Amino acid sequence: MSDLNALMDDLTRRMDGALESLRRDFAGLRSGRASPALLEPVRVEAYGSEVPLTQVGSIAVPEARMLTVQVWDRAVVGAVERAIRDSGLGLNPAADGQVIRVPIPQLTEERRNELARAAARYAEGAKVAVRGVRRDGMDKSKASEKKGDISQDDVKTWSEAIQKLTDQYVKKVDDMLADKEREIKQV
């Protein structure tokens, strides 16, 4: 049984990581005021790979409805501007030298719906991550059975425990999404 406990601890830790990632993504969906967290999930095609926006520039909030990104390398200004525009956040950046100004639009009903859709995409990604962790757990239990470490009955017990844990985390994701949607729809 200690093997099951070790496995469950590992799966719980990894599923917590998926929830934490979702929290960070949701923090980027600030509905009212400008927040640097809004741009943190944005990834930029630079230097031959995709890197987080925070690795190519610094984000500041000069006023309540404006973000600025000070890009460190002039060569990636266009890529940063494109990444922000294509991020699905409904933002329209404008480059001014190495500074990109990102006005935060008033929240229209359409914009609220866009944010709710983005939140749903993030939540679905978190569910996929949780299910991936579940699949790894199921594979490990089957591998233990093949090695002769555990019996078929143990595999069934482990599978039920892993599924129960997965269901709890999927519910947490759904609850977080419902809270975020309520926050977004609030006028």
Side-chain angles (χ1 to χ4, degrees), residues 27-58:
L29 291 178
R30 263 314 134 224
S31 27
R33 294 175 47 85
S35 163
L38 183 64
L39 296 179
E40 284 176 6
V42 174
R43 299 190 60 78
V44 179
E45 189 68 41
Y47 312 117
S49 65
E50 257 195 12
V51 297
L53 176 64
T54 53
Q55 289 185 7
V56 295
S58 55

Short mmCIF file of all heavy atoms in Angstrom, two decimals, residues 27-58:
data_model
loop_
_atom_site.label_atom_id
_atom_site.label_comp_id
_atom_site.label_asym_id
_atom_site.label_seq_id
_atom_site.Cartn_x
_atom_site.Cartn_y
_atom_site.Cartn_z
N ALA A 27 -5.22 34.61 -13.85
CA ALA A 27 -4.76 35.92 -13.38
C ALA A 27 -4.52 36.84 -14.56
O ALA A 27 -4.69 38.06 -14.46
CB ALA A 27 -3.49 35.78 -12.55
N GLY A 28 -4.14 36.25 -15.69
CA GLY A 28 -3.93 37.04 -16.90
C GLY A 28 -5.22 37.52 -17.53
O GLY A 28 -5.20 38.38 -18.40
N LEU A 29 -6.34 37.02 -17.09
CA LEU A 29 -7.63 37.43 -17.65
C LEU A 29 -8.29 38.48 -16.75
O LEU A 29 -9.47 38.41 -16.47
CB LEU A 29 -8.56 36.22 -17.80
CG LEU A 29 -8.18 35.20 -18.85
CD1 LEU A 29 -9.16 34.04 -18.84
CD2 LEU A 29 -8.13 35.83 -20.22
N ARG A 30 -7.53 39.44 -16.31
CA ARG A 30 -8.08 40.53 -15.50
C ARG A 30 -9.10 41.26 -16.32
O ARG A 30 -8.83 41.68 -17.44
CB ARG A 30 -6.98 41.52 -15.13
CG ARG A 30 -6.36 41.39 -13.82
CD ARG A 30 -7.28 41.18 -12.67
NE ARG A 30 -6.72 40.11 -11.89
CZ ARG A 30 -7.40 39.11 -11.38
NH1 ARG A 30 -8.68 39.04 -11.52
NH2 ARG A 30 -6.81 38.18 -10.71
N SER A 31 -10.26 41.42 -15.81
CA SER A 31 -11.32 42.01 -16.59
C SER A 31 -11.32 43.54 -16.59
O SER A 31 -11.61 44.14 -17.60
CB SER A 31 -12.67 41.48 -16.12
OG SER A 31 -12.62 41.08 -14.78
N GLY A 32 -10.99 44.17 -15.51
CA GLY A 32 -11.11 45.62 -15.46
C GLY A 32 -9.81 46.36 -15.67
O GLY A 32 -9.49 46.81 -16.76
N ARG A 33 -9.02 46.48 -14.61
CA ARG A 33 -7.80 47.26 -14.67
C ARG A 33 -6.67 46.51 -15.37
O ARG A 33 -6.67 45.30 -15.44
CB ARG A 33 -7.33 47.60 -13.25
CG ARG A 33 -8.28 48.52 -12.51
CD ARG A 33 -7.86 48.75 -11.08
NE ARG A 33 -6.45 49.06 -10.92
CZ ARG A 33 -5.92 50.28 -11.03
NH1 ARG A 33 -6.69 51.29 -11.36
NH2 ARG A 33 -4.64 50.48 -10.83
N ALA A 34 -5.72 47.29 -15.85
CA ALA A 34 -4.54 46.71 -16.46
C ALA A 34 -3.71 46.02 -15.38
O ALA A 34 -3.58 46.52 -14.27
CB ALA A 34 -3.71 47.80 -17.14
N SER A 35 -3.15 44.87 -15.71
CA SER A 35 -2.31 44.13 -14.79
C SER A 35 -1.22 43.44 -15.60
O SER A 35 -1.50 42.87 -16.65
CB SER A 35 -3.16 43.09 -14.06
OG SER A 35 -2.32 42.13 -13.46
N PRO A 36 0.03 43.49 -15.12
CA PRO A 36 1.11 42.81 -15.85
C PRO A 36 0.81 41.32 -16.05
O PRO A 36 1.25 40.73 -17.03
CB PRO A 36 2.34 43.00 -14.96
CG PRO A 36 2.03 44.20 -14.14
CD PRO A 36 0.53 44.20 -13.95
N ALA A 37 0.05 40.72 -15.14
CA ALA A 37 -0.28 39.30 -15.25
C ALA A 37 -1.07 39.00 -16.51
O ALA A 37 -1.08 37.87 -16.99
CB ALA A 37 -1.06 38.85 -14.02
N LEU A 38 -1.72 40.02 -17.06
CA LEU A 38 -2.50 39.86 -18.28
C LEU A 38 -1.64 39.34 -19.43
O LEU A 38 -2.08 38.51 -20.21
CB LEU A 38 -3.14 41.20 -18.66
CG LEU A 38 -4.06 41.24 -19.86
CD1 LEU A 38 -5.28 40.39 -19.60
CD2 LEU A 38 -4.48 42.66 -20.15
N LEU A 39 -0.39 39.81 -19.51
CA LEU A 39 0.47 39.43 -20.63
C LEU A 39 1.42 38.28 -20.31
O LEU A 39 2.13 37.80 -21.20
CB LEU A 39 1.29 40.65 -21.09
CG LEU A 39 0.47 41.82 -21.65
CD1 LEU A 39 1.38 42.97 -22.04
CD2 LEU A 39 -0.36 41.38 -22.84
N GLU A 40 1.47 37.83 -19.06
CA GLU A 40 2.41 36.78 -18.70
C GLU A 40 2.21 35.46 -19.45
O GLU A 40 3.19 34.80 -19.77
CB GLU A 40 2.43 36.56 -17.19
CG GLU A 40 3.19 37.67 -16.49
CD GLU A 40 3.16 37.58 -14.98
OE1 GLU A 40 2.63 36.59 -14.44
OE2 GLU A 40 3.66 38.52 -14.34
N PRO A 41 0.97 35.06 -19.79
CA PRO A 41 0.83 33.79 -20.54
C PRO A 41 1.26 33.90 -22.01
O PRO A 41 1.40 32.90 -22.68
CB PRO A 41 -0.66 33.47 -20.46
CG PRO A 41 -1.28 34.46 -19.56
CD PRO A 41 -0.32 35.57 -19.33
N VAL A 42 1.46 35.13 -22.51
CA VAL A 42 1.79 35.32 -23.92
C VAL A 42 3.18 34.76 -24.22
O VAL A 42 4.14 35.01 -23.49
CB VAL A 42 1.72 36.82 -24.30
CG1 VAL A 42 2.19 37.05 -25.72
CG2 VAL A 42 0.31 37.36 -24.10
N ARG A 43 3.25 34.00 -25.33
CA ARG A 43 4.53 33.43 -25.75
C ARG A 43 4.92 34.06 -27.08
O ARG A 43 4.08 34.25 -27.95
CB ARG A 43 4.43 31.91 -25.84
CG ARG A 43 4.09 31.32 -24.46
CD ARG A 43 4.18 29.84 -24.36
NE ARG A 43 5.47 29.25 -24.63
CZ ARG A 43 6.50 29.22 -23.77
NH1 ARG A 43 6.39 29.80 -22.61
NH2 ARG A 43 7.62 28.61 -24.09
N VAL A 44 6.22 34.37 -27.22
CA VAL A 44 6.73 35.10 -28.38
C VAL A 44 7.66 34.20 -29.18
O VAL A 44 8.51 33.50 -28.61
CB VAL A 44 7.51 36.35 -27.91
CG1 VAL A 44 8.07 37.11 -29.10
CG2 VAL A 44 6.63 37.25 -27.07
N GLU A 45 7.50 34.23 -30.49
CA GLU A 45 8.39 33.50 -31.39
C GLU A 45 9.65 34.35 -31.55
O GLU A 45 9.64 35.36 -32.25
CB GLU A 45 7.70 33.29 -32.74
CG GLU A 45 8.41 32.37 -33.69
CD GLU A 45 8.41 30.92 -33.23
OE1 GLU A 45 7.37 30.45 -32.74
OE2 GLU A 45 9.46 30.28 -33.34
N ALA A 46 10.73 33.96 -30.84
CA ALA A 46 11.96 34.75 -30.89
C ALA A 46 13.17 33.83 -30.72
O ALA A 46 13.10 32.83 -30.00
CB ALA A 46 11.95 35.80 -29.77
N TYR A 47 14.24 34.20 -31.36
CA TYR A 47 15.50 33.45 -31.23
C TYR A 47 15.33 31.99 -31.60
O TYR A 47 15.93 31.11 -30.99
CB TYR A 47 16.08 33.58 -29.82
CG TYR A 47 16.11 35.01 -29.31
CD1 TYR A 47 15.38 35.37 -28.19
CD2 TYR A 47 16.85 35.98 -29.96
CE1 TYR A 47 15.39 36.68 -27.73
CE2 TYR A 47 16.86 37.30 -29.52
CZ TYR A 47 16.13 37.64 -28.40
OH TYR A 47 16.14 38.93 -27.95
N GLY A 48 14.47 31.70 -32.56
CA GLY A 48 14.31 30.34 -33.05
C GLY A 48 13.43 29.44 -32.19
O GLY A 48 13.36 28.24 -32.44
N SER A 49 12.78 29.99 -31.17
CA SER A 49 11.86 29.16 -30.37
C SER A 49 10.79 30.06 -29.75
O SER A 49 10.83 31.27 -29.90
CB SER A 49 12.63 28.43 -29.27
OG SER A 49 13.16 29.34 -28.35
N GLU A 50 9.86 29.42 -29.07
CA GLU A 50 8.81 30.18 -28.38
C GLU A 50 9.24 30.43 -26.95
O GLU A 50 9.54 29.49 -26.23
CB GLU A 50 7.50 29.39 -28.39
CG GLU A 50 6.52 29.89 -29.39
CD GLU A 50 5.12 29.37 -29.17
OE1 GLU A 50 4.82 28.79 -28.11
OE2 GLU A 50 4.31 29.55 -30.07
N VAL A 51 9.28 31.71 -26.56
CA VAL A 51 9.69 32.06 -25.20
C VAL A 51 8.60 32.90 -24.55
O VAL A 51 7.83 33.57 -25.24
CB VAL A 51 11.04 32.84 -25.19
CG1 VAL A 51 12.16 31.98 -25.74
CG2 VAL A 51 10.93 34.13 -25.98
N PRO A 52 8.51 32.88 -23.21
CA PRO A 52 7.54 33.74 -22.53
C PRO A 52 7.88 35.21 -22.79
O PRO A 52 9.05 35.59 -22.92
CB PRO A 52 7.73 33.39 -21.06
CG PRO A 52 8.43 32.09 -21.03
CD PRO A 52 9.24 32.02 -22.29
N LEU A 53 6.85 36.03 -22.87
CA LEU A 53 7.02 37.46 -23.11
C LEU A 53 7.98 38.09 -22.09
O LEU A 53 8.78 38.96 -22.43
CB LEU A 53 5.65 38.16 -23.06
CG LEU A 53 5.64 39.68 -23.20
CD1 LEU A 53 6.14 40.09 -24.57
CD2 LEU A 53 4.25 40.22 -23.00
N THR A 54 7.91 37.60 -20.85
CA THR A 54 8.74 38.17 -19.79
C THR A 54 10.24 37.93 -20.01
O THR A 54 11.06 38.51 -19.31
CB THR A 54 8.33 37.61 -18.42
OG1 THR A 54 8.34 36.18 -18.49
CG2 THR A 54 6.95 38.10 -18.02
N GLN A 55 10.61 37.06 -20.98
CA GLN A 55 12.03 36.82 -21.26
C GLN A 55 12.57 37.73 -22.36
O GLN A 55 13.77 37.71 -22.63
CB GLN A 55 12.26 35.36 -21.63
CG GLN A 55 12.13 34.43 -20.46
CD GLN A 55 12.49 32.99 -20.82
OE1 GLN A 55 12.96 32.69 -21.89
NE2 GLN A 55 12.26 32.09 -19.87
N VAL A 56 11.68 38.49 -23.01
CA VAL A 56 12.15 39.40 -24.06
C VAL A 56 11.87 40.87 -23.74
O VAL A 56 12.29 41.75 -24.48
CB VAL A 56 11.56 39.05 -25.44
CG1 VAL A 56 12.04 37.69 -25.91
CG2 VAL A 56 10.05 39.11 -25.44
N GLY A 57 11.17 41.12 -22.63
CA GLY A 57 10.87 42.49 -22.26
C GLY A 57 10.25 42.57 -20.88
O GLY A 57 9.93 41.56 -20.27
N SER A 58 10.13 43.81 -20.40
CA SER A 58 9.51 44.00 -19.08
C SER A 58 8.16 44.69 -19.25
O SER A 58 7.99 45.57 -20.10
CB SER A 58 10.42 44.82 -18.17
OG SER A 58 10.76 46.04 -18.78
#
